[in-house]
Amino acid sequence: MFIHRRRGWEIPESKVTPEAAALARRAVLGGAAAAGVLAASPAKAWKLFSGSGEAGPAADLKPINAPRNPKFEAGRALTDEKEATTYNNFYEFGLSKSIYESAAALKSDPWTIEIAGMVKTPRKIGIEDLLKQVSLEERIYRHRCVEAWAMTVPWTGFQLSDLVKLAEPLGSATYVQFTTLADPKTMPGLRQSWYPWPYTEGVTMAEAMNELAFLSVGIYGKTLPPQNGAPIRLNLPWKYGFKSAKSIIRVEFTDQRPVSFWQSLQDSEYGFWANVNPDVPHPRWSQAQERLIGTSAVAQTQIWNGYGPFVASLYTGLTKERLFA
Ligand code: MTE
């Protein structure tokens, strides 16, 4: 199979993206937490989701008044909201970055999440019920795509560890797998049958319990728009963005390492760990720098996307693992 190789950062954005298109081609060819600061009212939070019954366009987004956690500042300017909500990867709606209009078809209300696998009691939980049991906060995270673009985004949500605790996993569970919505009626991308739908992702239990691992239900102080993964998506800011699964419908606890959507497409380029590292290039381009969306700026990429103090210790001793690609 023909893969055109260029030298690292010289690769223009147009050649890097959409990454999905490159892989599709190949698939065809080859077969504070200071308690006071964070006291958002859970009741208020869940009411946001007791809506009209129809997911709507951006204009229908509801404000979320969750306090900002000052522990998570990104050290650079926020990406313009319009950029972050109109330049997206959500392959279920198409390969381009401009899927925000077609994503308006996503029906995110009502929404149920299945808690499955190695847990005390497998069950389904409505998002309103879930949000009654957590407190929302806002965090500004750096968001780094494997395609070498980056954003700085204020997400509203709660720690993934809160969901893990509610799920009561068995002691033998070592991984968490996320499955996302695959609805052929509303998602035209699913017609591309060579992709291993549904989109799935996975992390270790230790990663899931890390305080950075976040489940977002909002962005820029409003409920998530469909294109950003309504009504609930993952954010793992020390990993490449493809690990941050959107529109999650199932969370499974397992003792088997999950094989994700991208890994099953091309494991040599998109491995299980996918931690950000400027010194480990993608096989087809450099990861040393990142283009800040909505600006003409290019920033130096940082190892762990700059979140080493939070996460580096998770990986000590894993010398045989391919942690960065
Ligand atoms: N989740 C689903 N279900 N489908 C996707 O195509 N794309 C991933 C991730 N989550 C994706 C997904 C990729 S490649 C990236 S970079 C981020 O979502 C993009 O998130 P954003 O559009 O909110 O910036």
Side-chain angles (χ1 to χ4, degrees):
M1 136 189 16
F2 174 70
I3 301 172
H4 187 85
R5 287 181 193 276
R6 288 170 191 252
R7 279 189 299 145
W9 185 246
E10 291 170 8
I11 195 164
E13 170 84 0
S14 59
K15 298 294 178 197
V16 175
T17 57
E19 179 57 6
L23 288 178
R25 219 163 27 237
R26 282 200 255 165
V28 169
L29 291 171
V37 181
L38 302 181
S41 154
K44 258 190 200 162
W46 75 264
K47 275 181 191 157
L48 288 167
F49 291 87
S50 314
S52 60
E54 288 293 314
D60 289 349
L61 302 176
K62 298 178 187 149
I64 310 182
N65 190 18
R68 180 171 291 179
N69 186 338
K71 192 170 178 182
F72 303 101
E73 293 294 340
R76 65 188 187 204
L78 284 185
T79 299
D80 179 72
E81 178 179 351
K82 190 157 182 247
E83 298 284 347
T85 55
T86 56
Y87 186 93
N88 300 100
N89 277 335
F90 203 160
Y91 298 115
E92 289 86 334
F93 290 102
L95 302 189
S96 90
K97 294 283 179 280
S98 312
I99 48 73
Y100 61 96
E101 283 169 323
S102 73
L106 175 70
K107 289 205 167 26
S108 57
D109 180 13
W111 195 268
T112 304
I113 299 170
E114 185 184 355
I115 308 286
M118 302 171 81
V119 289
K120 196 167 156 199
T121 316
R123 62 187 193 279
K124 291 189 173 169
I125 182 166
I127 194 160
E128 298 89 350
D129 284 345
L130 173 60
L131 293 180
K132 278 179 198 167
Q133 298 173 64
V134 297
S135 291
L136 298 182
E137 63 179 69
E138 184 179 68
R139 295 183 178 188
I140 300 175
Y141 276 169
R142 292 182 291 278
H143 174 43
R144 170 62 156 85
C145 181
V146 74
E147 296 163 341
W149 55 261
M151 299 194 195
T152 313
V153 178
W155 305 100
T156 302
F158 56 97
Q159 281 188 197
L160 174 57
S161 61
D162 291 344
L163 178 67
V164 173
K165 286 176 205 151
L166 289 171
E168 298 183 279
L170 305 182
S172 44
T174 45
Y175 294 94
V176 190
Q177 177 168 39
F178 302 88
T179 304
T180 75
L181 184 70
D183 175 16
K185 289 200 256 354
T186 52
M187 297 174 147
L190 299 190
R191 283 182 222 133
Q192 296 182 309
S193 55
W194 52 87
Y195 282 125
W197 309 111
Y199 195 101
T200 59
E201 260 307 337
V203 293
T204 64
M205 189 68 94
E207 290 176 322
M209 294 305 288
N210 186 273
E211 69 175 315
L212 275 187
F214 203 58
L215 281 167
S216 295
V217 295
I219 187 172
Y220 295 90
K222 286 167 267 181
T223 47
L224 276 180
Q227 62 271 27
N228 292 94
I232 184 163
R233 57 95 50 89
L234 202 51
N235 285 106
L236 304 167
W238 72 102
K239 293 179 178 285
Y240 290 114
F242 68 86
K243 297 289 295 182
S244 294
K246 294 179 170 181
S247 304
I248 295 166
I249 57 164
R250 188 168 193 268
V251 181
E252 180 180 347
F253 294 82
T254 168
D255 58 2
Q256 306 294 311
R257 183 177 291 185
V259 177
S260 69
F261 177 88
W262 286 104
Q263 213 185 339
S264 59
L265 272 171
Q266 191 70 16
D267 179 56
S268 61
E269 300 187 1
Y270 309 100
F272 171 75
W273 299 96
N275 296 305
V276 174
N277 188 336
D279 298 326
V280 178
H282 183 280
R284 289 179 284 126
W285 60 83
S286 167
Q287 296 290 21
Q289 295 176 306
E290 58 207 45
R291 197 171 62 86
L292 300 183
I293 295 296
T295 77
S296 53
V298 169
Q300 299 302 315
T301 292
Q302 305 172 69
I303 188 161
W304 315 108
N305 203 20
Y307 293 103
F310 292 93
V311 297
S313 64
L314 290 173
Y315 305 100
T316 38
L318 297 179
T319 47
K320 294 199 176 126
E321 297 284 344
R322 194 159 51 92
L323 292 174
F324 299 106

